[in-house]
């Protein structure tokens, strides 16, 4: 397995700097050889172009730790049912991928590299196909929007309810969301902001990003009564009920959604674990759910809240990046951590926790990108 990982990483360096061209060639080969596959992809391919290639490369390079990623790959296979992916499609993608690599690596590409990618890709495809075949659920759920509320310039909080049988998930997980009316075949991931409930209602927090087709539709166009599609739940930002350690949650912006879901779950049974929530944003406007969080802290004595703004001198709470604010408190080396937010925010927080000597095994995190 070590030699396989080495060959994969070596060969990737040959094409890494030409990722955009590789992705373009990859899709061209795939659609030329199988034109019907074009209907599985969104009309706008600008964001999607790098997304699938990046996901494949990331997955293939995890083969050195198969135990850790087995369930992830099975979940990925379940999730990809929303694209109507069939087992035979995996071979088409593999062939187009290898043809793109051979073309852009040129003479430096070797038979050993070729075989390494075939072996790794086929291993991953088998796990994903198995995950899809094991899943008794539909490829996706149709869900009706119940409420929709604008909370700030570019943030909305909305609720929806799946119309088929309930969507089973754990607090802290996320699903892929499609808005068929406005952006068909374009999916983006969002975390549920609540724990499962008897009403089968899901809450989502979404920020409209600059070029985000789906996020803009969810914030600015979707209304109560509209239909969404939700794919299979994924993610491991979930509570370990066996742990007795106190908890620290660090959230940035709409990364607060899965943290709120975890708090929601804790309100149902927790009596013994102190929970500290650090909630950061650029300004007070972006602390869009602070009032609700403050009410929860008043109701549950085990919950404390520390809000912070990085660029709002008039804010009465903590000032600075949330990763720095966490370091002003503590000590934290005996706590379970949940971190959720933008990639820079999560990376900064993980660096801070490493400096504070928090064991990495006690840290769970999710990042949110463009949408």
């Amino acid at each position: 397995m070590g030699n396989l990982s080495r060959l994969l990483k070596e060969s990737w360096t040959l094409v890494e700097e030409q990722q955009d061209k590789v992705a373009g060639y990859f899709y061209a080969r795939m659609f030329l050889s199988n034109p019907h596959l074009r209907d599985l992809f969104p009309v706008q391919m600008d964001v999607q172009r790098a997304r699938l290639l990046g996901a494949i490369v990331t997955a293939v390079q995890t083969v050195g730790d198969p135990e850790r990623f087995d369930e992830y790959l099975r979940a990925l296979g379940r999730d990809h049912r929303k694209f109507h992916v069939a087992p035979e499609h995996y071979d088409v993608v593999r062939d187009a991928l290898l043809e793109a690599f051979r073309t852009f690596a040129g003479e430096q590409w070797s038979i050993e590299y070729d075989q390494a990618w075939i072996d790794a890709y086929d291993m991953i495809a088998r796990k994903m196909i198995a995950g899809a075949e094991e899943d008794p659920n539909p490829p996706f759920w149709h869900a009706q929007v119940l409420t929709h509320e604008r909370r700030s310039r570019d943030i909305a909080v909305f609720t929806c309810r799946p119309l088929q049988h309930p969507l089973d998930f754990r607090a802290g997980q996320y699903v892929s969301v499609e808005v068929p009316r406005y952006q068909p075949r374009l999916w983006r991931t969002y975390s549920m902001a609540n724990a499962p409930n008897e009403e089968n209602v899901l809450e989502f927090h979404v920020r409209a990003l600059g070029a985000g087709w789906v996020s803009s539709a969810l914030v600015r166009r979707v209304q109560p009564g509209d239909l969404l599609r939700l794919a299979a739940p994924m993610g491991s930002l979930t509570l370990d009920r066996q742990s007795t350690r106190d908890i620290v949650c660090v959230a940035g912006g709409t990364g607060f959604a899965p943290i709120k879901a975890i708090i929601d779950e804790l309100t149902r049974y927790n009596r013994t674990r102190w929970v500290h929530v650090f909630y950061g944003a650029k300004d007070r406007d972006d602390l869009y759910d602070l009032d609700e969080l403050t009410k929860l802290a008043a109701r549950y004595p085990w919950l404390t809240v520390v809000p912070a703004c990085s660029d709002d001198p008039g804010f009465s709470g903590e000032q600075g990046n949330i990763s720095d604010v966490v370091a002003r408190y503590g000590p934290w080396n005996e706590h379970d951590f949940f971190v959720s937010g933008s990639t820079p925010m999560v990376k900064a927080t993980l660096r801070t926790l490493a400096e504070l000597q928090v064991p990495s095994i006690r840290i769970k995190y999710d990042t949110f990108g463009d949408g």
Side-chain angles (χ1 to χ4, degrees):
M1 194 64 75
N3 190 50
L4 178 61
S5 296
R6 179 183 62 78
L7 289 169
L8 293 170
K9 288 172 183 173
E10 274 182 15
S11 56
W12 175 242
T13 62
L14 301 178
V15 297
E16 189 172 14
E17 292 184 1
Q18 303 180 79
Q19 286 184 58
D20 287 346
K21 292 180 180 178
V22 170
Y25 188 92
F26 163 69
Y27 281 108
R29 292 297 303 174
M30 192 162 59
F31 295 153
L32 278 171
S33 61
N34 291 267
H36 64 282
L37 291 183
R38 182 63 183 88
D39 291 338
L40 303 184
F41 291 84
V43 176
Q44 300 96 352
M45 287 291 291
D46 50 346
V47 176
Q48 180 65 34
R49 184 181 298 276
R51 197 175 285 266
L52 177 59
L53 179 65
I56 293 169
V57 171
T58 300
V60 166
Q61 293 183 338
T62 67
V63 294
D65 194 352
E67 291 296 322
R68 180 181 169 195
F69 291 98
D70 182 75
E71 178 50 37
Y72 168 75
L73 292 169
R74 288 174 184 272
L76 202 61
R78 292 192 291 271
D79 176 70
H80 273 60
R81 295 170 66 218
K82 68 178 184 277
F83 295 121
H84 305 287
V85 173
E88 60 269 20
H89 294 150
Y90 285 89
D91 290 346
V92 175
V93 171
R94 179 197 60 206
D95 294 345
L97 181 71
L98 286 169
E99 185 63 34
F101 285 170
R102 293 176 192 133
T103 299
F104 286 90
E107 294 179 359
Q108 291 179 282
W109 193 259
S110 68
I111 294 173
E112 289 81 5
Y113 291 155
D114 220 62
Q115 194 60 50
W117 279 87
I118 290 171
D119 291 346
Y121 181 92
D122 287 351
M123 186 189 310
I124 281 160
R126 284 196 299 273
K127 291 181 185 295
M128 290 180 65
I129 291 169
E133 290 176 345
E134 292 164 0
D135 191 1
N137 292 307
F140 52 77
W141 286 255
H142 295 279
Q144 185 172 38
V145 177
L146 303 176
T147 64
H148 188 284
E149 180 187 357
R150 289 287 288 271
R151 290 285 183 88
S152 75
R153 298 177 298 270
D154 51 9
I155 295 174
V157 171
F158 69 88
T159 60
C160 63
R161 178 187 287 121
L163 299 179
Q164 299 130 294
H165 54 81
L167 192 157
D168 293 325
F169 68 97
R170 292 191 62 193
Q173 288 192 301
Y174 58 86
V175 294
S176 292
V177 179
E178 181 197 21
V179 192
R181 181 178 177 185
Y182 301 114
Q183 296 297 339
R185 304 197 302 278
L186 204 57
W187 297 78
R188 293 295 178 265
T189 56
Y190 299 99
S191 294
M192 282 70 75
N194 61 295
N197 53 58
E198 292 181 0
E199 295 77 25
N200 196 28
V201 172
L202 310 177
E203 179 179 316
F204 291 95
H205 301 177
V206 180
R207 179 191 297 275
L209 299 165
W213 298 96
V214 176
S215 63
S216 292
L218 288 170
V219 172
R220 300 192 174 104
R221 305 180 75 179
V222 162
Q223 300 174 7
D226 284 348
L227 291 180
L228 309 175
R229 287 178 182 156
L230 312 177
M234 295 181 66
S236 56
L237 192 76
T238 54
L239 283 166
D240 175 6
R241 288 205 176 195
Q242 304 303 313
S243 174
T244 58
R245 285 184 290 272
D246 292 337
I247 295 170
V248 180
C249 299
V250 188
T254 51
F256 176 63
I259 300 302
K260 186 177 183 182
I262 288 169
I263 295 169
D264 187 21
E265 180 177 337
L266 286 164
T267 62
R268 302 176 189 187
Y269 72 88
N270 182 48
R271 297 292 182 274
T272 59
R273 303 173 73 179
W274 293 100
V275 180
H276 310 269
V277 178
F278 291 86
Y279 182 23
K282 182 179 179 182
D283 54 37
R284 177 61 182 87
D285 235 20
D286 280 352
L287 294 173
Y288 62 92
D289 218 23
L290 181 57
D291 292 344
E292 178 69 21
L293 184 56
T294 303
K295 290 176 186 175
L296 286 171
R299 184 174 178 184
Y300 298 98
W302 44 260
L303 178 62
T304 60
V305 178
V306 179
C309 288
S310 61
D311 190 19
D312 188 346
F315 180 62
S316 58
E318 291 279 358
Q319 297 282 341
N321 292 325
I322 197 66
S323 56
D324 297 329
V325 174
V326 172
R328 297 172 196 163
Y329 294 73
W332 301 126
N333 52 326
E334 295 296 330
H335 292 66
D336 288 338
F337 269 81
F338 297 87
V339 183
S340 175
S342 67
T343 299
M345 172 265 172
V346 170
K347 285 184 176 179
T349 303
L350 295 180
R351 280 196 300 269
T352 296
L353 298 184
E355 291 166 4
L356 296 173
Q357 299 183 324
V358 176
S360 60
I361 197 170
R362 294 184 191 157
I363 304 170
K364 293 186 177 184
Y365 62 91
D366 261 342
T367 58
F368 296 86
D370 55 326

